[in-house]
Amino acid sequence: MTRTRAFSGATTGAALLVLFLSLTACGSTRDYVQEKTVERIATEQLTNAIGVTPENLDCPGDLEGKVGTEMTCVLTSDGEKYDAIITVDDVDGGRVHFKIDVPPNAAE
């Protein structure tokens, strides 16, 4: 299986629990997961689920810790770009669970 075909149509709903980061100095809590943390964990989970590591996964910003929040990142594999849709499907206390879906069509 080629690397590109491995990612096309891939979905992983693995338990991706990420602790919310708290900003204690200001006495507030940020209700999102930082962009770089989402990219790192999503890359790890895609690699574990498919057995192939993407060349790059670039998300447009931080992921809001709210059920139903969706963000489209761009996954690059063998020079091809694909949408990688990250969706928050559970928030439990200070943890966010999100799933990753890579539809079979290449990103524009």
Side-chain angles (χ1 to χ4, degrees):
M1 172 178 346
T2 66
R3 184 183 293 238
T4 300
R5 289 171 64 194
F7 288 110
S8 180
T11 300
T12 178
L16 303 176
L17 297 177
V18 181
L19 293 176
F20 280 124
L21 305 170
S22 60
L23 194 58
T24 54
C26 296
S28 65
T29 301
R30 296 180 285 181
D31 56 349
Y32 61 88
V33 182
Q34 290 182 330
E35 175 184 354
K36 293 297 178 193
T37 302
V38 172
E39 292 169 346
R40 179 181 52 79
I41 291 173
T43 297
E44 289 171 4
Q45 291 303 316
L46 283 166
T47 299
N48 290 340
I50 301 169
V52 178
T53 303
E55 292 167 24
N56 188 40
L57 181 68
D58 184 35
C59 295
D62 298 330
L63 179 65
E64 182 182 4
K66 179 179 173 186
V67 173
T69 298
E70 189 174 282
M71 173 169 63
T72 302
C73 303
V74 177
L75 179 148
T76 305
S77 177
D78 281 344
E80 297 284 332
K81 294 188 183 295
Y82 294 88
D83 289 335
I85 301 166
I86 309 268
T87 306
V88 175
D89 60 358
D90 189 37
V91 177
D92 181 17
R95 296 174 187 228
V96 173
H97 178 274
F98 56 89
K99 67 178 184 171
I100 308 157
D101 182 33
V102 183
N105 58 320
E108 295 296 319

